[in-house]
Amino acid sequence: MVKDITERKRVEEALKKIAQNDSVPGSIAFLRVLVRDLCSALKTPYAVLADWETPGSPDIKTLAVLANGRYVDNFSWTPPAHLVQELLKVKGCVWSHHVEDLFPPNTLPHSWLINGYLGSALRGQAGQIIGLLLTFHTEPLTNLHVAQSIVQLFGGRAASELQRKKTADALRDSEQRYRAIVENAYDLIIETSPSGECHYVSPNCIDVLGYHSQEMLGKKFFDFLHPEERQPLADSYPANVMALEKIDLVCRLRNKQSEWRLFESHIRPLRTTEGAVVGVIVTRDITERKRLEEERLRSTKLESV
């Protein structure tokens, strides 16, 4: 008995290539290797992996484009409406010979001698379309069923990696945004351990207290407090932070010129994603404000007299 297992081996080889991709997951390099291996598995010269940056927008941005074994520059593209509608309706793969209006004239893809395309929508965690994976053929496919299976395999992996990339990009953007806010804030921001040791001090420390951030790192926040206020806060701080209790106080801090400045401080404990508890102190120098208030009060009393 003889059984033809050629197509089964093609699928197995496609799975092996996905598993052996040694690029960093979620990276552009990983997605490019996926596109290359997909072309190899289908024996097709062209493939495109694109990111749908703005859901509902007709425009997409390619992340990996392979043409005749070479990566080419990415480009923005508006897929024809019929292709988008087919992808929205079909959960698996779409095969079509309608290639006349795929790419605008005077573009590199328009010069490809395309006979048809096979593609899959890349869906995010909520089922929304976040990208497209398309292969373009110059010859009719010999086994459409197997080709669709291979594209679905690669499409599933590409979708998970594209989602990972989007999540990482969003996290990086969020970190950069909040870092910019913290580093340009007027208030002095300090992150401490439950014992009060400074783990982070915002760069404006040099303007507020005269210290460089590095001079405060590793020291306890209480070390800079006035002796009359130091011990009460040092005694209650660990228990309050571990219990995630908020603390509001007005205290005196010593700057590098050994002057005592009056500060209004708000301490907000929080639990990090790793499970550690930290205390975030946002403190503002109110020395001049208090001085003006006292002068205004004295002036009011004099006017009353």
Side-chain angles (χ1 to χ4, degrees):
M1 296 179 63
V2 178
K3 185 176 182 180
D4 188 346
I5 61 170
T6 305
E7 302 304 336
R8 191 185 78 189
K9 293 297 289 184
R10 284 182 62 197
V11 175
E12 290 176 357
E13 286 296 323
L15 285 170
K16 186 184 297 184
K17 287 181 178 180
I18 292 176
Q20 291 176 345
N21 190 337
D22 57 359
S23 301
V24 178
S27 66
I28 294 295
F30 192 98
L31 299 176
R32 290 175 66 145
V33 172
L34 276 181
V35 167
R36 182 199 66 193
D37 290 343
L38 175 59
C39 284
S40 175
L42 292 179
K43 296 181 174 59
T44 184
Y46 308 114
V48 168
L49 193 154
D51 176 18
W52 213 311
E53 295 177 321
T54 307
S57 169
D59 300 324
I60 63 176
K61 174 73 174 180
T62 64
L63 297 176
V65 182
L66 194 77
N68 293 314
R70 296 178 57 191
Y71 296 108
V72 299
D73 293 339
N74 288 311
F75 54 89
S76 296
W77 178 38
T78 304
H82 66 81
L83 185 151
V84 176
Q85 290 303 317
E86 288 174 343
L87 289 171
L88 288 172
K89 292 186 294 184
V90 180
K91 290 186 177 180
C93 294
V94 170
W95 163 251
S96 177
H97 287 286
H98 300 289
V99 297
E100 298 80 11
D101 59 346
L102 276 182
F103 298 104
N106 302 321
T107 62
L108 176 63
H110 186 77
S111 65
W112 297 344
L113 301 177
I114 299 172
N115 177 265
Y117 63 86
L118 180 63
S120 175
L122 307 182
R123 298 182 181 271
Q125 296 174 341
Q128 79 283 14
I129 294 183
I130 59 174
L132 304 176
L133 180 62
L134 297 168
T135 63
F136 305 97
H137 309 274
T138 56
E139 300 292 338
L141 294 173
T142 56
N143 193 322
L144 180 59
H145 177 72
V146 171
Q148 287 178 318
S149 299
I150 292 175
V151 171
Q152 282 185 274
L153 290 172
F154 277 86
R157 185 59 187 275
S160 63
E161 296 306 328
L162 182 56
Q163 181 67 67
R164 189 199 302 261
K165 178 182 178 300
K166 285 178 173 289
T167 302
D169 290 347
L171 178 60
R172 184 168 53 254
D173 291 344
S174 177
E175 289 176 347
Q176 291 175 349
R177 182 164 58 251
Y178 283 106
R179 182 175 294 278
I181 292 172
V182 168
E183 292 182 351
N184 293 280
Y186 173 77
D187 297 335
L188 176 62
I189 301 174
I190 303 171
E191 180 186 296
T192 74
S193 66
S195 63
E197 184 176 304
C198 298
H199 290 168
Y200 172 81
V201 181
S202 56
N204 63 342
C205 181
I206 186 69
D207 300 318
V208 178
L209 289 175
Y211 299 102
H212 288 284
S213 302
Q214 292 79 4
E215 295 181 82
M216 294 186 67
L217 294 178
K219 296 180 181 178
K220 292 193 175 182
F221 174 68
F222 323 121
D223 296 341
F224 300 90
L225 262 66
H226 194 279
E228 295 177 2
E229 299 151 355
R230 182 182 305 154
Q231 201 57 46
L233 182 61
D235 292 341
S236 62
Y237 192 82
N240 287 336
V241 169
M242 291 305 297
L244 302 180
E245 294 179 358
K246 300 177 181 179
I247 306 172
D248 296 310
L249 72 156
V250 175
C251 58
R252 286 165 288 180
L253 293 174
R254 184 182 65 246
N255 63 18
K256 197 166 185 177
Q257 291 74 38
S258 297
E259 298 173 343
W260 293 104
R261 307 285 295 181
L262 193 63
F263 281 79
E264 183 179 66
S265 301
H266 306 280
I267 304 171
R268 299 294 183 264
L270 59 88
R271 191 178 300 276
T272 67
T273 54
E274 291 81 13
V277 176
V278 298
V280 178
I281 304 172
V282 180
T283 186
R284 172 175 293 188
D285 189 338
I286 60 171
T287 306
E288 297 303 322
R289 191 183 80 189
K290 278 293 185 183
R291 184 181 61 80
L292 291 173
E293 288 176 357
E294 290 172 357
E295 289 182 358
R296 190 179 302 113
L297 181 60
R298 282 197 299 269
S299 176
T300 302
K301 288 181 178 179
L302 286 173
E303 289 176 1
S304 177
V305 171

